Every structure is written in C-alpha cells, then in structure tokens.
Amino acid sequence: MATKVQYTVDTELSLKLFQEGASAQENFDSSIAGKCRDGEFGIFYQMDRLEAFGLTGVFFVDPMPALVYGPAVVSRIVEPIIRRGHEVQLHIHTEWLEFARDHELSHLRGRNIADFSLDDQVRLLDQARALLMIAGAPRPTAFRAGNFGANDDTLRALSTLGVQYDSSFNPAFLTGECAIDLPPETPPFAEHLGVGIIPVSFIEDRPGSIRAAQLCALSAWEMRDALSHAAQHDWPCFTIVSHSFELLSRDRTRCNPIVTRRFEAMCSNIAEQAKLEDTGFHALSPRRKSSLTAVPANLVRTALRYGEQAVSRIRYEVGIASTIFLNEMAAFESLVAV
C-alpha cells in the first residue's frame, strides 16, 4: 500500500506587515502571492509547480485576518485554491485578536490557541471555521495551530466541533510551543482525545536530534531520503510543512533559489516514486497502526545541509546578523570534524 504524502502549506497574512501599516492588498501580495523583485513565488507559483507534476497541495488557511481587514481578503485566498482542485483546511493565529474590533471574542488575548481555556478554544475554533466557510471553503476536516501552539485542550475542542484530524503535533517543536502530550514517535492516525493525529514528519539529522520535514529545514537530499524511507517502511502517511511565503528570502524582497530548488526536487520525488501517493486529508482513511522508525542520522548529509544553509544566508538572506552565519559555520565545522 502506498504511503500517502501531504504537502501542507500554512497560508497566512503577516501580522507584522499589518502592524507596519500594510494594506490588505500589500499584505496579500507579499504573504500569499509571494511577489518580490524576482516575480511571484507564493501559493499560485506553488500550485503551478505542483500541478505540473500531477500533484495537489493542502493549504491550511488562517481566516483570522478577516477580523481586521474584512472577509474579502480571505475569500481571495480560498477561492483560487478550491477552483484549482487543491484542499483548504483550518489554520489559526490568535495574535490577530488583539487588533480585532467589534467582535464578540475580541476581548480574548493570546499568542497561541493553547493559551486559552477549553471553552474559549471551542468558541475561537468555531468562529474561525465559520469565517473560513464564509470565504468559500468546505467544512474543514483537519486543523493546524499557528506556531504549532496547540495543547490537549485544543484536541478536546476539535473533537467537540467534529474536526476529524489535527496536524499541529510537530515532534521537532516539543521543546517550543507545541504542548500536545504525546511522545515524538507518535505514528499517524493515533487517536488522542477523540481526534486523529497526523504529525508533521521528521528525520534524525544527528544522533539524538530530530528535524521537521519542512522545505526550509531539510536539504533536497534529506527530503528525498525521508520520502524514500517512508515508502520503504510502509509509513501510512508522510506530512511535509511549508508556508505561503517559504520560497522567499526572510525580508521577502527576492526568491530563495536554494529553497525553490528543494521544492522542485520534492515534487519530482513524490511524483516519481511508485510507493508514494499525494493526497489531502479528505482522502485519508485510518490504516493499521505501525511504529515509525525515523530516517537515521547521516552526518555527511547533515553537514552538507549546514553548508548549504550558510551559503543561502550569505547570498539570499538580506539583513541577517553575521552571528547567525558564524553559528551555522561552527555547526558545519563540528560535524565535518566528527
């Protein structure tokens, strides 16, 4: 049976740009369309390239900016995704609540959905789902928290609302903002508190360290090995995370060719491997539980990624502090010396 691959895109407007005074159009152009001096590299470009390989994507759309900019901007995001045959699911960044006006929940404050009580999480998720559906999306069957900042109450809230799957569980973020009480090796379709868990996949990049399957986090070699490993070991599914603006430099003034090439290589790998099948959450069905063995560490592969990341920062990341580059190079040198 083929391993089902979800290429998921957290599709969101920028709160930072809003705070800097950007209009809805300016924010859309930068955060969603990915417009920069080199062209467009956001969701429309990503859909173009996915379709060229016969693939579809899952776009986790954050509808909360509708509370600030109005609902039209969310409709502009949702409509083309649905029209082109891709999938829209629910995402939420609760930071927008601080700037909402004349909304029944605008008094609530919190960076992450996990910062709220269970009752308030139910209300927030219900409102976000309604906003997404008003924008033209079908009733969502899956959810991912902004910043992966969910907890067990988030799962209880999703179960209350009848949302079938959660993809907020990111084992690489368990020391950060992901507070779901599950072990890193949790397999897909594990049921927890009434919700099917579809974790973000990961590799072991060095002994004792894991790294999320994300375009900006893994080299093309690492992603290829991860996909091949999942297929060879009959993983039920493999979930990749990206963002609507992920192919841009951090200041969003230009594309990042290294990440763009990773995206192209990923599409090619998924399309060419017979034991991989791209799919969305609507098409998932629970399979026999299996233990997931992470892609084993390969220090040469990891060292080369450190080198690639360092080159990327020098060439494409305008304004990044030199200390970041020095840290990358120190990590690279320590791995090469092993």
Side-chain angles (χ1 to χ4, degrees):
M1 188 177 294
T3 295
K4 297 186 183 299
V5 180
Q6 295 84 44
Y7 173 69
T8 68
V9 183
D10 291 358
T11 307
E12 56 201 40
L13 294 169
S14 167
L15 181 62
K16 180 175 182 291
L17 287 179
F18 167 76
Q19 291 174 295
E20 292 172 353
S23 67
Q25 182 64 55
E26 290 167 335
N27 208 331
F28 181 94
D29 286 346
S30 175
S31 305
I32 305 301
K35 288 186 178 180
C36 64
R37 70 191 193 195
D38 300 318
E40 285 194 16
F41 295 89
I43 66 168
F44 306 111
Y45 174 86
Q46 292 183 48
M47 286 191 287
D48 286 344
R49 298 312 303 149
L50 288 166
E51 291 163 15
F53 286 92
L55 305 176
T56 58
V58 177
F59 294 82
F60 280 96
V61 177
D62 177 18
M64 299 302 280
L67 302 179
V68 173
Y69 282 129
V73 69
V74 182
S75 298
R76 290 185 61 202
I77 298 168
V78 169
E79 188 276 329
I81 298 171
I82 298 297
R83 173 169 44 81
R84 295 178 63 162
H86 300 269
E87 187 171 294
V88 170
Q89 297 290 359
L90 181 61
H91 192 45
I92 189 171
H93 276 275
T94 55
E95 303 102 309
W96 288 94
L97 286 167
E98 182 178 348
F99 304 94
R101 297 292 181 268
D102 302 322
H103 186 268
E104 63 185 65
L105 301 178
S106 61
H107 63 286
L108 298 176
R109 296 287 184 273
R111 171 173 164 79
N112 297 315
I113 188 70
D115 295 332
F116 300 90
S117 69
L118 173 58
D119 287 345
D120 284 339
Q121 288 198 46
V122 171
R123 294 187 187 97
L124 284 167
L125 291 169
D126 191 36
Q127 287 289 311
R129 179 173 64 179
L131 288 169
L132 193 65
M133 294 174 68
I134 288 170
R139 180 177 289 269
T141 57
F143 169 76
R144 177 176 293 150
N147 311 312
F148 304 105
N151 62 6
D152 282 0
D153 275 348
T154 310
L155 304 182
R156 294 183 180 98
L158 292 171
S159 179
T160 297
L161 294 170
V163 178
Q164 189 174 1
Y165 296 115
D166 178 82
S167 191
S168 307
F169 184 64
N170 188 337
F173 276 68
L174 293 182
T175 57
E177 297 182 78
C178 183
I180 295 173
D181 187 18
L182 287 170
E185 62 275 10
T186 298
F189 299 111
E191 184 171 328
H192 186 54
L193 301 172
V195 177
I197 303 298
I198 308 295
V200 174
S201 298
F202 62 88
I203 70 166
E204 185 179 41
D205 66 333
R206 58 186 186 274
S209 171
I210 62 175
R211 195 163 177 87
Q214 182 168 348
L215 282 182
C216 70
L218 299 188
S219 68
W221 181 4
E222 288 172 314
M223 187 68 79
R224 182 195 66 206
D225 282 4
L227 288 165
S228 297
H229 179 89
Q232 291 165 6
H233 290 79
D234 194 32
W235 284 27
C237 64
F238 187 92
T239 303
I240 300 164
V241 66
S242 183
H243 291 82
S244 45
F245 46 81
E246 188 131 344
L247 305 187
L248 300 180
S249 60
R250 290 194 182 189
D251 65 357
R252 303 193 189 178
T253 62
R254 61 190 300 185
C255 79
N256 186 325
I258 287 177
V259 180
T260 304
R261 286 195 293 270
R262 290 177 180 178
F263 175 59
E264 196 79 7
M266 178 208 72
C267 291
S268 177
N269 290 331
I270 295 171
E272 291 174 0
Q273 293 198 46
K275 290 194 68 177
L276 296 177
E277 176 189 355
D278 82 296
T279 186
F281 288 83
H282 291 319
L284 286 180
S285 56
R287 285 174 52 180
R288 173 181 52 83
K289 289 183 173 63
S290 59
S291 59
L292 299 187
T293 303
V295 180
N298 179 323
L299 294 183
V300 173
R301 185 181 62 204
T302 301
L304 288 175
R305 190 238 306 147
Y306 272 111
E308 182 183 73
Q309 299 279 89
V311 169
S312 175
R313 293 189 188 283
I314 293 172
R315 296 186 62 183
Y316 310 121
E317 302 297 350
V318 179
I320 301 299
S322 60
T323 52
I324 297 178
F325 167 67
L326 294 174
N327 288 340
E328 294 280 0
M329 289 308 298
F332 171 72
E333 290 167 359
S334 67
L335 283 167
V336 171
V338 172

